[in-house]
């Protein structure tokens, strides 16, 4: 076997191995600029599973935050409340939107204020110990929606 053939096999193994993180496409990723005096904020994104198997997100992390978790906002008795979401499963072909008023990434105990124009990394931890990190741009409001 030639060296080149071995190389091709190695590449194939690498890309067909776990692969869950390769099958998640993150778009429209943004984090709200920190409100005055608050060391917490929320991140939003659209997450699409382009693979053939369900993918479960079991946690989130960000270097700028001491505590990061998945949250869901719900309206209960006319009041908006948030509760942690232990995990989020995305079916094959499904797209889940993390958006204001719904699912979001909660960033708490921030080590710095986040201002418009900045960019921070947030990582999604997947159930097979895979993780997927992506740049989230900091903005006061979501930019005009993109439809593809
Ligand atoms: Cu929250």
């Amino acid at each position: 076997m030639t060296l080149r053939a071995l190389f091709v096999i190695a590449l194939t193994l690498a890309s067909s191995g776990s692969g869950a993180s390769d099958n998640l496409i993150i778009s429209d990723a943004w984090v709200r600029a920190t409100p005055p005096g608050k060391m917490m904020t929320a991140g939003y994104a659209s997450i699409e599973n382009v693979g053939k198997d369900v993918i479960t997100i079991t946690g989130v992390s960000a270097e700028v935050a001491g505590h990061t978790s998945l949250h869901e906002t719900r309206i209960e008795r006319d009041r908006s409340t948030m509760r942690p979401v232990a995990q989020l499963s995305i079916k094959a072909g499904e797209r889940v939107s993390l958006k204001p008023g719904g699912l979001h990434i909660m960033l708490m105990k921030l080590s710095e204020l986040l201002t418009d124009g900045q960019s921070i990394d947030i990582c999604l931890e997947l159930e097979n110990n895979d993780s997927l990190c992506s740049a989230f741009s900091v903005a006061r409001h979501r930019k005009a929606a993109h439809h593809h």
Side-chain angles (χ1 to χ4, degrees), residues 71 82 104 106:
H71 260 195
M82 296 196 291
H104 56 276
M106 197 75 205

Side-chain angles (χ1 to χ4, degrees), residues 40-81:
M40 62 166 75
T41 189
Y44 309 100
S46 175
I47 308 171
E48 185 177 9
N49 179 358
V50 296
K52 292 191 175 71
D53 302 300
V54 64
I55 296 175
T56 301
I57 299 167
T58 53
V60 283
S61 65
E63 224 161 72
V64 294
H67 187 258
T68 313
S69 55
L70 275 174
H71 260 195
E72 186 176 26
T73 301
R74 289 190 160 193
I75 306 294
E76 277 164 15
R77 293 182 192 158
D78 296 335
R79 290 189 60 213
S80 169
T81 59

Side-chain angles (χ1 to χ4, degrees), residues 21 23 72 104 134-135:
S21 58
N23 289 331
E72 186 176 26
H104 56 276
S134 189

